[in-house]
């Protein structure tokens, strides 16, 4: 049996679509998430049409009430979604017609699904920017609490994952506050740029009806209408900027997740993850696995993937709308959902983890971590050129390594056998506490600097 033609545009069609055509064409399976935005857009549009004398006040009122009913049906799970009606726009409009009859047919005056979907998706992505900002604020708060507690706890700082110089726990936590705060500003920039309204661009060329685009823009919280109707329906930069910001943020999450995986291992024991954020093994009773951190590390892949996928969808499209653009939504939804989940999980893990202070300190002192302090002392106190000081220090590190001890364990005689002028007060700089306390340059790891930065961030995050 041939299906009957679509009631929305079937005028020139004798038959309905093939079942496979319907399957590839329908987006209602996922774009139903845009229902609140779609209804908000339609309400703004209908109110504007009435204000501009394009439809009657009575019709606008019937549309308004009908849309509220549709929204409540959707919210309560009573809405009869239909795949034959393809997408959220046609599902809502068809139901509106069932509910209010003829006035429903006037809603689509001076509008197309092209500007409609651009509005809906833009509103949705804008909301995600706000949610990302709030979630990042909470994560920064958890990191800041760790930083404040451990402003002067020493730990090894790494380059190449080799012990480099001692740093403070607070300093390390604040590095992530900086990163996640840049993410917030990226989402804020994207939000500001996307906050213009495509509504009224209609199919692509604008409309001959005397519409008021500023009115709908204002009603939907946009700063202004977009100035070019072709651009308005063809643009998906807003989703790409969201996904690009999400990708960078996810990369930051993954780096922190990676550190938590390493730090919570038996080999490092820098942090103890709370029971709330650990899982056990069904066979190995000793295990405490950092699954949430691992999953965050992995979820980054799908967020990057969504960004690449949409870039790829868009790159070959001639202006203006092509159905390819329907593929903008599903992966953006997935990326946003997983970003929010990852941010929430990271916030919980960071808030509930315990730094193992004694282990951090022991590790900080191992691996000749104060070799640079020794070289600096030779420069400052003995006037050696830094290159020579580097060489002398290297010899002393080799000596300590040969003796199986750390630099502070060498005797003064050991030191003087390499450079005769070395004095007893060199030992002051070889301790890790002194080492970090000396790094007082702006942005350095000294507890005094860390406390100043904690105070700064407390103000910012208030
Ligand atoms: N479901 C479509 C999408 O997501 C809505 C726009 C359809 N426009 C069209 N001219 N077929 O892109």
């Amino acid at each position: 049996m041939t299906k009957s033609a679509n009631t929305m545009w079937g005028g020139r069609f004798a038959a309905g679509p093939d079942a496979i055509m319907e399957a590839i064409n329908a987006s209602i399976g996922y774009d139903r998430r845009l229902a609140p935005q779609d209804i908000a857009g339609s309400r703004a549009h209908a109110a504007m049409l009435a204000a501009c004398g394009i439809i009657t006040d009575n019709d606008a009122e019937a549309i308004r009430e009908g849309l509220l009913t549709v929204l409540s049906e959707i919210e309560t799970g009573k809405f009869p979604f239909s795949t034959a009606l393809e997408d959220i726009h046609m599902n809502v409009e068809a139901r509106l017609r069932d509910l209010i009859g003829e006035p429903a047919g006037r809603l689509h005056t001076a509008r197309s699904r092209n500007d409609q979907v651009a509005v809906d998706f833009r509103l949705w992505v804008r909301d995600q920017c706000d949610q990302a900002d709030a979630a990042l604020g909470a994560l920064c708060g958890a990191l800041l609490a760790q930083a404040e507690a451990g402003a002067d706890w020493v730990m090894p700082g790494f380059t190449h994952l080799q012990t480099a110089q001692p740093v403070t726990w607070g300093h390390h936590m604040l590095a992530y506050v900086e990163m996640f705060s840049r993410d917030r500003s990226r989402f804020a920039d994207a939000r500001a740029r996307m906050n213009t309204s495509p509504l009224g661009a209609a199919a692509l060329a604008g409309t001959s009806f005397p519409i008021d685009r500023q009115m709908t823009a204002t009603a939907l919280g946009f700063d202004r209408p977009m100035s070019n109707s072709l651009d308005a329906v063809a643009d998906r930069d807003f989703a790409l900027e969201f996904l690009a910001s999400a990708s960078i943020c996810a990369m930051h999450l993954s780096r922190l997740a990676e550190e938590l995986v390493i730090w919570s291992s038996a080999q490092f024991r820098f942090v103890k993850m709370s029971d709330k954020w650990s899982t056990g093994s069904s066979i190995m009773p000793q295990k405490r696995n950092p699954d949430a951190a691992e999953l965050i590390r992995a979820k980054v892949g799908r967020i990057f993937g969504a960004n690449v996928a949409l870039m790829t969808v868009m790159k070959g499209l001639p202006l203006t709308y092509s159905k390819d653009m329907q593929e903008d939504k599903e992966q953006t939804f997935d990326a946003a959902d997983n970003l929010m989940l990852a941010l929430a999980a990271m916030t919980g893990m960071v808030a509930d983890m315990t730094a193992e202070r004694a282990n951090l300190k022991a590790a900080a002192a191992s691996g000749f971590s104060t070799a640079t302090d020794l070289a600096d002392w030779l420069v400052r106190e003995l006037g050696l050129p830094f290159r020579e000081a580097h060489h002398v220090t290297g010899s002393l590190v080799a000596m300590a390594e040969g003796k199986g001890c750390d630099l502070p364990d060498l005797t003064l005689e050991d030191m003087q056998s390499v450079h005769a002028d070395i004095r007893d007060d060199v030992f002051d700089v070889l301790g890790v506490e002194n080492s970090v306390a000396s790094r007082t340059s702006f942005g350095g790891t000294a507890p005094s600097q860390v406390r100043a930065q904690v105070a700064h961030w407390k103000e910012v995050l208030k």
Side-chain angles (χ1 to χ4, degrees), residues 253 296 299 303 337-347 349:
L253 283 169
I296 289 170
K299 279 181 182 302
I303 296 171
D337 290 345
N338 281 288
L339 180 70
M340 300 312 158
L341 186 58
L343 283 168
M346 185 58 87
T347 303
M349 278 194 294

Side-chain angles (χ1 to χ4, degrees), residues 25 27 30-31 34 86-89 112-114 117 236 321-329:
N25 204 30
S27 54
Y30 47 89
D31 71 11
L34 296 177
E86 219 181 291
D87 59 23
I88 186 63
H89 323 295
S112 154
R113 277 188 297 156
N114 295 350
V117 73
R236 292 295 181 272
Y321 179 86
S322 296
K323 196 62 175 263
D324 309 50
M325 290 162 73
Q326 180 164 284
E327 286 288 308
D328 58 0
K329 284 174 272 302

Side-chain angles (χ1 to χ4, degrees), residues 19 27 49 92 130 147 166-167 177-179 185 199 237 292 329 340 343 356 362 411 434 452:
S27 54
L49 290 176
V92 168
D130 294 340
V167 297
V177 172
E178 297 280 344
M179 292 149 77
S185 80
L199 194 55
D237 291 1
K329 284 174 272 302
M340 300 312 158
L343 283 168
E356 305 264 31
T411 64
N434 287 337

